Amino acid sequence: MGEAAGRKKPYLQVVREGNPGKRPVDPGLILAAAKDLAEPDWQQTFPVVRSDKAQQDVNRRAREVARREWRRVVPVLQFTAGLADVDVNLLHDYCVVVARIDQCERDLSTRGMLIQGERGWQKNGATTVVGQYRSQLRVYIRELGLSPSARASFVAPGGGDDGDDGDPFD
């Protein structure tokens, strides 16, 4: 399956898959892949709120969801995408979006799609917020190659039996 019209394959993908057409490949900005990306301090993003027990529980769960997502995707992306230290903010934002979607979905599950307001029944605001977060999540998924369609044209590195040690830059 070819690339979208006018869209070139990322340099790392060309390195992994080869360049059978022998066309010149512009590597663009090459960053050294990070061995270990420092996981953010999720307590700074989702702080402990001492005055509000309910919000404290919400933030605790958000920290857990963000931490779990970071630990799930970073090892994979370090291998497939050659993440560098400059990617930490992107990954942090991606994990925050995943945690916020979880937060909105839990609110919708506990309070419902419609809530009683000053003027009668109205749409729970979490429905609008979760839609916005899901739109942002789609951008991150595409950018990071985290969906089957984003990975469709990728070939896994090290697929041959040439003794490759998994280094995509060999």
Side-chain angles (χ1 to χ4, degrees), residues 40-115:
D41 179 0
W42 298 113
Q43 194 153 335
Q44 288 186 4
T45 305
F46 306 104
V48 174
V49 182
R50 304 216 186 277
S51 60
D52 186 349
K53 173 75 168 113
Q55 189 61 46
Q56 187 174 3
D57 291 342
V58 167
N59 284 2
R60 181 181 309 115
R61 179 172 172 91
R63 283 191 299 273
E64 291 169 6
V65 170
R67 180 179 302 117
R68 186 171 52 240
E69 189 66 12
W70 177 277
R71 292 176 182 179
R72 185 181 75 84
V73 301
V74 167
V76 173
L77 291 174
Q78 282 182 303
F79 179 70
T80 62
L83 294 176
D85 289 330
V86 297
D87 300 314
V88 169
N89 287 338
L90 173 70
L91 290 165
H92 174 270
D93 288 348
Y94 163 77
C95 292
V96 168
V97 166
V98 169
R100 294 295 188 199
I101 289 172
D102 177 76
Q103 183 179 352
C104 289
E105 291 296 343
R106 290 180 60 80
D107 183 68
L108 289 169
S109 294
T110 56
R111 296 192 320 144
M113 298 285 283
L114 298 174
I115 56 175

Side-chain angles (χ1 to χ4, degrees), residues 90-170:
L90 173 70
L91 290 165
H92 174 270
D93 288 348
Y94 163 77
C95 292
V96 168
V97 166
V98 169
R100 294 295 188 199
I101 289 172
D102 177 76
Q103 183 179 352
C104 289
E105 291 296 343
R106 290 180 60 80
D107 183 68
L108 289 169
S109 294
T110 56
R111 296 192 320 144
M113 298 285 283
L114 298 174
I115 56 175
Q116 186 68 41
E118 291 179 10
R119 298 181 182 171
W121 289 97
Q122 56 194 28
K123 181 171 76 169
N124 184 336
T127 58
T128 302
V129 174
V130 77
Q132 294 167 339
Y133 276 120
R134 285 191 188 283
S135 293
Q136 188 60 45
L137 182 65
R138 278 190 291 277
V139 171
Y140 289 137
I141 285 172
R142 185 175 53 249
E143 193 73 24
L144 294 168
L146 293 173
S147 71
S149 62
R151 293 187 307 268
S153 61
F154 281 40
V155 174
D161 52 355
D162 59 355
D164 193 287
D165 63 352
D167 185 354
F169 296 100
D170 279 347

Side-chain angles (χ1 to χ4, degrees), residues 6-20:
R7 194 167 166 194
K8 297 188 302 188
K9 285 183 182 180
Y11 178 73
L12 184 59
Q13 183 180 353
V14 173
V15 170
R16 282 195 311 260
E17 296 175 4
N19 186 6

